[in-house]
Amino acid sequence: MMSRNFRQGTQHLFSGRRLDRRALLRTGLATGAALGVSGMAGLTIVGGGRALAQEGGVLDPDAPEWEPSATAREQRRYRWEPLAEGEAAEPSGQEIRTIGLGVSVQERFLSEFERRSGHGTSGKVATLTAMITEWLAGGADNYDLNETNANRNAALWDTDLIQPIPVERIVPWAYARDTFTSEDALGYDPVSGYPLTEVWVDPDNQTEFRLVPQFYNCDSIGYRYDLLNEDITSWGALLDPQYRGQVAILNDSLLTPGWVAGYMKAQGLADIERSDNMTHDEIDEVIEFLIERKRDGQFRAIWEDYGQAVNLLASGEILLADAWNPVVEDVKKQDVVCKYAFPDEGFTAWYHGLAIRTDTPNLDAAIDYVNFCLEGWWGAQVALQGYYSPTTTAEAYLRETNETDPEFTDYEWWYEGGSSPEPKEGWPLTGRDTGAYDTRWGNIMHWMTWPDDPDYYAQRWNDFLSA
Amino acid sequence: MGEFEAARPVQATVESRRVPISGSVVRALRGRPVLTRVLLLLPGTLWMLIFVGIPLVSVVVFSFWTSGFAGLRPDYTLDNYRNTIGSASFWRITWWTIQVVVMLLAGVIMLAYPAAYGLWRVIQRPHWKTALLLLFIVPFWTSYLTRTITWLPMFGRQGVVNTVLQKLRIIDEPLEFLLYSSVSMMVALWFLFIVFMVGPLYFSMQRIDEDIMSAAAVFGAGPWRTFFHVVLPLTRPGLMAGSLFVVVLGMAEFFTERAIGGAQNPMLAGLILRQVDIFQWAGASAIAVVLITMTLTIVTVMLRFFDIRRV
C-alpha cells in the first residue's frame, strides 16, 4: 500500500517502542525544516479512516494519543504517522471535492492534504452566494464538502444537503477553543445562542456538528492612521460628519445595517433589541439614519468586494471603511500605515465552517479533510492571514515561526497581540493592532447571523442605495 | 486559347471535389426547399432554444414562484411582482436606469459621429484609417472588467487627471467628483460603449456614394449642411444599429456603476444581483422579467422607426 521509501522511512518508528527525538534524528528522517511543515499527518485514519503508516494497517495500541506539541519542528510522536517533507502517502483512491472562498481553498493547502492523506483533491473558489446557489441549484453532487460562512449554512442544512458530523471523528476537536463549546466563552451571545446554535445539532450535548468551525475572526473599522493621525475607537466614525466624503461602507443589506444598529444602540440613538436580527421598525430607523448620512455626502463609495476595499484604503481614496479581515493586513503589505480600530461598541464576529454533503461517496476522505483543517499546520497557515483556528493546535507551529515580524513569534503577534515595549521604527504598532485574542473576543457587538426577515433588510437597503 | 485550355482542368477539379462531398445530401434535398430550409435552420434554432429559450422561460416561471433560504418553491404567486412594482425604490432605480441609458446614447452619438466622420473623410491614407480603427477596436480584445477598472488610476484622488491638473497648478486640491460619482460613471460608460457606435457609423459612411458628396459640394452646401442633409440621413442605418447595441447593453449595465460610480446609485441589473445575494431568486426573476420587457419594448419602438435589415 505504501511507497517503498515511505515504508522504509517509517518502519522503525512503530516497532513496538516509542522513539525519542534523538533516535529519530539518528535515523536521518527528521530533517529540520522538513519536519516543521510536516508535523501533522495522521489525522487521516480517525474513525474508519486509513492508517497511513501502520504496519499491516493495524494501529499500534501503545502509541500515545495525538496532542499538540510545543516543539513543532520536531518529529511528532502521536500514533498517526507523521510525514517528513519529501514523503507522501500512497494514493488512497479516494478524493475530496470542495468549494469555498479563496481564503481556505488554496492549491498549497490541497497539495499538502494530498501529500499527507493520499486522497486526491479538487477545489473550486467561489463567492459565498455563488457556492450556496450552486448547491441549491442541484450542483451539490459535484462536491463532497462546502466551506462556507456560518450565517449562510442554514440554507444547506434546511435542505438536507449536508449531514451531521460525529464529534468523535474530528480528533483535534479535543483541543477546541471554548468559543465553540461553552456558553461561558468570550463572545458567546446568549440571545441568539451564537455560535453554538449554528455549530451543533444540539448545543446541549454537542455530539454532532451541523457545521465544523474552520476559521473565524471579528471585524471592525479599517482606517488610514498615517492620514488621520488619530485612533478611531467607534463605529460612529464611519458616520461622523467630520469624515464626510472619506468613508466607504460595504454594500451588504445585512452586515452594514447590523453594525449601524449596534452603534445606534450603544450610543442610545435608537431603541434596538438585537442589532443582528432587527424588527421592521428598527430596520426603518437604521435605514433612515443611513439615508440622512448618505444625502449629506458621508460616503465616498460603497464597496463590493474584498479587493476593492483594499484598493480604496491603500490608494487613499477613502480614509475609513468597515473592513473585513484581513483587508487592513493586505493594505499594510503595500507599506501603508493602516490600522484596525478597537471599537467601543464591539467587533462583529463570524466564523467559517466545513460541511459534508449528505450523499458523498467520499465520506472518509471528507472527514480526513475536516481533521486536516483543524490540525495545527492548517490553522497556522490561516493565522498568517489574520484568522483564528477553532482549535489550539496551531499554537505549536506559530510559536516556532516569526514570518510576520522578526521581533515576535507569529503566535505572539496574531494571538497575543504582540509584546514589544517599543513600536517598530516607522510603524505605530507593537503587535496585532487590535490586541490579544481575549481582549478582542471580550468585546463583541454581535455575531453575523441570518435574520428572520432578510427580505425586509434587502428592500430597505435598496431604498438606501437609491436615495 | 491557352488561357481557356488552362482553365478547364481547374473547373474539372472543382466539380470533382463538389460531388463526393455533398452529392448524396444534395440529391436527397433536391426539389425539397422546405426540408432544406428546416435543416439549415435546425442547428441555430436548437441552440437558441436550449441556451436562450429555456433559461428565459425558466426566469419567467421562477418569477411566479417563491424563494428563500431553502431554495425555489413552485408556490405560484404574484407577490414578487406586487413587491417589485409596489416599491418606490424600484421605480427610482428604474427611472435612473432609463436616464443613464438616454445620457449614454446621447453622449456616445455625439462622440462617435465626429470620430467616424474623421476616419471616413479626414484620414486619407488607408493604413492610417486601419490603424485608427484598430485603436477603437483593440481595447475590446481585453475583458470588459479590465476596461472598466482602468479608469480607477485615471480618475482617482491621486490619479493621472488630478495629478496632471495639480502639477499644472490648475487646481490645488484633487477633484473629488472625478471618481465615485455619476460624472465619472458616465465618462467611463461613454468610452466603454463608443465602439458599438463608431463601427456601424463608419461602415455606413463608407457606403455613401462619393458622387453624392461631390454633388453636395458642387451645389454649394457647406460642411454642416452636407452633414445634416446628406450624411446624417444616409447613415441612419448605422446610427440605429449602434443605438440598438448601446440601449440593449446599457439597460443590462451594472458593473461600471459599482466600480466607477461608487455603487451609490444602482441600476436595475444591479438590483437583480442584490436579490440573488440574499437567495431571493424569485424576486430577482421578477425584476429580470420587468427589465427584459422594458428593453424589448424600447427595441420594438426603435425598430418601428427603422428596418434593421437595411443595415
Side-chain angles (χ1 to χ4, degrees), chain A residues 144-220:
Chain A
D144 305 302
L145 293 130
N146 191 311
E147 303 174 31
T148 190
N149 190 299
N151 74 350
R152 316 279 172 122
N153 185 52
L156 305 178
W157 182 263
D158 292 349
T159 46
D160 293 328
L161 283 169
I162 55 175
Q163 58 176 296
I165 301 170
V167 69
E168 69 266 17
R169 296 199 66 182
I170 310 304
V171 177
W173 196 254
Y175 303 94
R177 292 185 180 279
D178 63 358
T179 308
F180 299 101
T181 59
S182 169
E183 293 182 359
D184 299 323
L186 292 173
Y188 174 73
D189 184 340
V191 181
S192 68
Y194 243 68
L196 302 188
T197 46
E198 195 55 58
V199 171
W200 301 103
V201 174
D202 178 357
D204 291 330
N205 66 25
Q206 301 189 2
T207 54
E208 289 179 311
F209 292 102
R210 273 161 67 110
L211 187 67
V212 183
Q214 187 184 22
F215 60 96
Y216 64 114
N217 212 330
C218 51
D219 295 336
S220 69

Side-chain angles (χ1 to χ4, degrees), chain A residues 129 132-133 136 151-152 154-155 159 245 251 253 294 299-302 304 312 315-317 450 455 458 462-463 465-466, chain B residues 69-71 87 89 92-93 156-158 176 179-180 258-259 262-266 271 274-281:
Chain A
T129 305
I132 301 285
T133 304
L136 292 177
N151 74 350
R152 316 279 172 122
T159 46
N251 191 359
S253 59
K294 184 188 175 190
F299 311 116
R300 175 145 168 81
I302 297 187
E304 295 279 347
L312 280 166
S315 65
E317 286 299 330
W450 192 258
D455 294 355
N462 286 336
D463 291 339
L465 289 178
S466 61
Chain B
F69 223 23
S87 152
S89 60
R92 267 201 302 275
I93 291 168
R157 270 191 178 129
Q158 294 161 19
E176 300 278 325
L179 191 58
Y180 304 127
R258 285 186 164 198
Q264 303 210 47
N265 282 307
L271 200 57
R274 296 248 62 79
Q275 294 287 314
V276 170
D277 280 348
I278 55 158
F279 306 111
Q280 291 304 312
W281 297 285

Side-chain angles (χ1 to χ4, degrees), chain A residues 181-385:
Chain A
T181 59
S182 169
E183 293 182 359
D184 299 323
L186 292 173
Y188 174 73
D189 184 340
V191 181
S192 68
Y194 243 68
L196 302 188
T197 46
E198 195 55 58
V199 171
W200 301 103
V201 174
D202 178 357
D204 291 330
N205 66 25
Q206 301 189 2
T207 54
E208 289 179 311
F209 292 102
R210 273 161 67 110
L211 187 67
V212 183
Q214 187 184 22
F215 60 96
Y216 64 114
N217 212 330
C218 51
D219 295 336
S220 69
I221 308 122
Y223 63 101
R224 284 289 297 264
Y225 182 80
D226 54 343
L227 301 176
L228 288 170
N229 287 315
E230 60 177 328
D231 273 320
I232 298 297
T233 56
S234 167
W235 287 94
L238 295 168
L239 306 160
D240 187 341
Q242 183 186 346
Y243 305 116
R244 194 162 66 89
Q246 298 174 330
V247 173
I249 57 172
L250 170 65
N251 191 359
D252 189 294
S253 59
L254 306 179
L255 304 185
T256 307
W259 67 253
V260 176
Y263 162 73
M264 292 175 76
K265 180 182 176 180
Q267 300 297 322
L269 299 173
D271 191 15
I272 292 168
E273 196 179 334
R274 280 185 62 181
S275 51
D276 62 331
N277 187 7
M278 287 185 274
T279 63
H280 285 201
D281 288 344
E282 291 167 348
I283 296 169
D284 289 344
E285 203 163 351
V286 167
I287 295 293
E288 292 309 319
F289 181 62
L290 272 171
I291 287 175
E292 193 185 303
R293 300 304 307 122
K294 184 188 175 190
R295 287 186 174 148
D296 197 35
Q298 182 72 14
F299 311 116
R300 175 145 168 81
I302 297 187
W303 66 274
E304 295 279 347
D305 62 65
Y306 181 86
Q308 191 186 4
V310 173
N311 288 333
L312 280 166
L313 276 168
S315 65
E317 286 299 330
I318 53 128
L319 305 186
L320 307 104
D322 48 350
W324 282 343
N325 264 284
V327 163
V328 166
E329 308 304 337
D330 281 330
V331 175
K332 287 176 188 170
K333 285 175 190 162
Q334 300 182 36
D335 279 335
V336 172
V337 182
C338 195
K339 287 173 79 171
Y340 272 117
F342 191 92
D344 297 337
E345 302 87 4
F347 294 89
T348 52
W350 53 267
Y351 82 93
H352 268 243
L354 292 143
I356 298 179
R357 181 166 68 85
T358 304
D359 304 321
T360 174
N362 300 307
L363 179 60
D364 289 338
I367 293 271
D368 288 347
Y369 184 72
V370 174
N371 277 281
F372 169 74
C373 291
L374 293 186
E375 196 280 325
W377 182 84
W378 201 92
Q381 297 300 313
V382 290
L384 296 177
Q385 297 180 58

Side-chain angles (χ1 to χ4, degrees), chain A residues 37-38 83-89 111-118:
Chain A
V37 291
S38 65
L83 289 176
E85 193 171 274
E87 293 180 334
S111 301
E112 183 64 11
F113 176 67
E114 278 188 18
R115 190 178 78 81
R116 293 179 180 203
S117 67

